[in-house]
Amino acid sequence: MTSCAVPTPETTDAAASMRRGACPSLVAPMPTGDGLLVRLRPLDGSLTLAQFSAVAAAARRFGNGVLEITARGNLQVRGLTALSVPGLAEAIGEAAITVPDGVAIETPPLAGIDPEEITDPRIVAAALRAEIAAQGAAFRLAPKLAIVVDGGGRFHLGEMIADLRLQAFGRGEEIWWNLSLAGTAATAKPIYALRTAAVVPVVIRILEALTNTGPAARGRDLDIDAVQALCPPAAVGIDIPAAFAPPSPVVGIHDLGSAGTVLGLGLAFAQIDAVSLIAFLQQASALGAREIRLTPGHGFFVLGLEREAAAMVQRLAVAQGLRIAADDPRNHIATCAGSTGCASAWMDTKAMARLWVETVPDLLDGSLTVHLSGCVKGCARPRASALTLVGAPSGYALVVNGAAKDGANAYTDENGMKSALERLAGLVRENKDAGESARSCLTRLGAARVSAAFEQG
């Protein structure tokens, strides 16, 4: 684990050919439509306000001043060049920001703070990082391989997809961990429940199996029986819950009892400019904020505030365009970088998102997520959405109950987009029963009728 790794222009030039399946880092930034992109995973998603401000200042100095928080809660800096990446790395090092190397090991954003968690998962996560680091170059793993270590709580990671998932639960007076593969808490394939002492050895054996399978192997490629054979005899079967409660929404003011008050905020369409972020952090710091925890869903928590101060900081966040409330329609739109930040995109996804908010706010009632994808790759939301709009050379394709890569149900061109949205909103408004959600109404109407309204009325 290092504070940062300083790349050279030669290494960043070499990164220009990096495949899309890789994760952009300081030593291997990814080429995009607006320059090179670097993704940072601060240890435990935690930054002081001074550190967060330092990243923003560096993004303005060495990039194009645009920062993003991804759907998984990682921090991205855009608009870099081969010559400017070393300057960013140096600034991160000077700010003493620890960025773990190697496999992504993710814990809930309020790990160690959430009063409802079963145990602090950072202890197991740290042990895993240390043992993986000790293996050195022995592991050859897929760049996007992810391990979730979830201690539970109000802001758990049950909806995050992972190759390996460790979910804490109490068994008598002991803490045990459910091990599962390839999916969310609800969809992952169950393996066994393990005592805490067995977790690290078993995960290391699984990573060895992935290495032997090949450098692109993921959790979904593993045979369940073979993985079960790697577990100790003391492992027991997993008692699968009938349902998994969704995590609490990030945005809002949260009372954590003895742990104090936490303010949750979200970036509008996953992005914020450095100037706005620095101004906000200065104001929050003056009111007592002391720590930031990055969160899944393009947001972050602000820690250290008294209740009254949290309300003041929340009002200040509005002025910087941040999302502050669970009923903000912007919460329910997933966008990629779009044509302003990606050479593959055919749509300005941020401008399109604003058009949806202005034109069809009733559709964004929280019952569904609209996915706006610049191309068929669907980077922002690989899984199916109730409504997905995909950029195309000739206009826009609508996918109903599908992913961006799925076949389109309807098309419209640039000139017809606003009218298409108005017809879609009218269809729902005229057919929605009292108390019915937008998603339920669209499902009842069916893909054919929704597509016809979008395409031709």
Side-chain angles (χ1 to χ4, degrees):
M1 187 182 301
T2 59
S3 294
C4 66
V6 179
T8 65
E10 289 75 15
T11 58
T12 49
D13 285 338
S17 62
M18 186 177 66
R19 67 184 186 275
R20 277 280 168 188
C23 290
S25 64
L26 282 167
V27 294
M30 177 180 286
T32 66
D34 59 353
L36 297 177
L37 177 147
V38 162
R39 181 176 301 155
L40 306 171
R41 291 190 181 92
L43 182 63
D44 300 324
S46 176
L47 294 166
T48 66
L49 271 71
Q51 287 174 327
F52 204 8
S53 293
V55 175
R60 187 182 182 196
R61 180 179 177 188
F62 300 109
N64 62 8
V66 174
L67 294 100
E68 296 174 328
I69 298 177
T70 70
R72 298 183 74 92
N74 297 315
L75 188 60
Q76 294 187 161
V77 179
R78 305 192 68 93
L80 299 157
T81 68
L83 294 176
S84 69
V85 171
L88 173 68
E90 185 175 355
I92 290 171
E94 290 176 351
I97 298 172
T98 300
V99 181
D101 299 322
V103 178
I105 300 176
E106 323 223 27
T107 55
L110 291 185
I113 298 173
D114 192 329
E116 296 179 22
E117 71 180 358
I118 294 165
T119 188
D120 186 347
R122 296 176 301 174
I123 299 169
V124 168
L128 273 174
R129 288 193 189 99
E131 187 57 34
I132 291 170
Q135 300 295 320
F139 289 150
R140 297 179 304 280
L141 302 167
K144 289 194 174 183
L145 189 84
I147 301 173
V148 161
V149 184
D150 196 342
R154 196 180 305 180
F155 302 99
H156 61 80
L157 298 182
E159 295 185 346
M160 182 176 285
I161 296 173
D163 293 275
L164 306 180
R165 174 176 296 277
L166 293 159
Q167 180 70 50
F169 71 98
R171 192 167 187 248
E173 296 183 355
E174 288 185 291
I175 300 297
W176 284 57
W177 298 84
N178 284 333
L179 170 66
S180 56
L181 300 179
T184 65
T187 64
K189 302 171 186 175
I191 302 300
Y192 275 136
L194 306 170
R195 282 191 169 94
T196 299
V199 166
V200 172
V202 169
V203 171
I204 293 300
R205 291 180 201 128
I206 294 173
L207 296 182
E208 290 171 347
L210 284 166
T211 295
N212 294 334
T213 303
R218 304 291 296 271
R220 59 180 176 266
D221 301 314
L222 293 172
D223 177 75
I224 292 178
D225 291 339
V227 175
Q228 288 179 329
L230 301 176
C231 297
V236 299
I238 294 177
D239 184 15
I240 302 297
F244 290 89
S248 297
V250 167
V251 292
I253 297 176
H254 308 283
D255 183 2
L256 300 186
S258 60
T261 298
V262 169
L263 172 63
L265 301 170
L267 305 191
F269 314 128
Q271 291 186 340
I272 190 169
D273 68 271
V275 174
S276 296
L277 179 59
I278 291 170
F280 169 74
L281 293 173
Q282 288 174 339
Q283 294 168 327
S285 179
L287 289 168
R290 55 179 172 79
E291 184 184 352
I292 295 293
R293 293 281 186 96
L294 303 174
T295 74
H298 315 289
F300 60 93
F301 286 120
V302 183
L303 281 60
L305 297 167
E306 298 293 335
R307 176 79 190 199
E308 184 177 343
M312 294 174 66
V313 173
Q314 189 182 54
R315 290 192 292 271
L316 293 169
V318 175
Q320 304 300 345
L322 293 162
R323 295 182 282 114
I324 69 163
D327 60 357
D328 189 325
R330 297 175 298 174
N331 294 338
H332 313 299
I333 300 180
T335 69
C336 62
S339 57
T340 60
C342 178
S344 300
W346 295 97
M347 182 202 309
D348 183 343
T349 55
K350 311 308 178 184
M352 183 61 71
R354 290 189 287 271
L355 180 64
W356 279 73
V357 170
E358 294 166 2
T359 309
V360 290
D362 291 347
L363 284 180
L364 305 171
D365 63 356
S367 64
L368 57 85
T369 295
V370 171
H371 178 198
L372 305 181
S373 184
C375 71
V376 296
K377 288 186 290 186
C379 297
R381 190 176 170 87
R383 62 186 183 277
S385 299
L387 296 172
T388 298
L389 189 71
V390 185
S394 57
Y396 307 103
L398 181 71
V399 183
V400 181
N401 293 322
K405 62 181 175 57
D406 297 333
N409 297 94
Y411 293 90
T412 191
D413 59 21
E414 180 76 32
N415 295 329
M417 188 65 222
K418 190 171 190 298
S419 297
L421 287 180
E422 289 171 343
R423 290 193 299 271
L424 195 58
L427 177 71
V428 173
R429 186 168 52 250
E430 293 163 9
N431 290 277
K432 191 166 71 168
D433 294 332
E436 187 178 26
S437 70
R439 184 185 185 93
S440 177
C441 180
L442 289 170
T443 300
R444 178 169 53 79
L445 292 173
R449 195 168 175 188
V450 172
S451 300
F454 179 86
E455 196 164 54
Q456 59 192 20

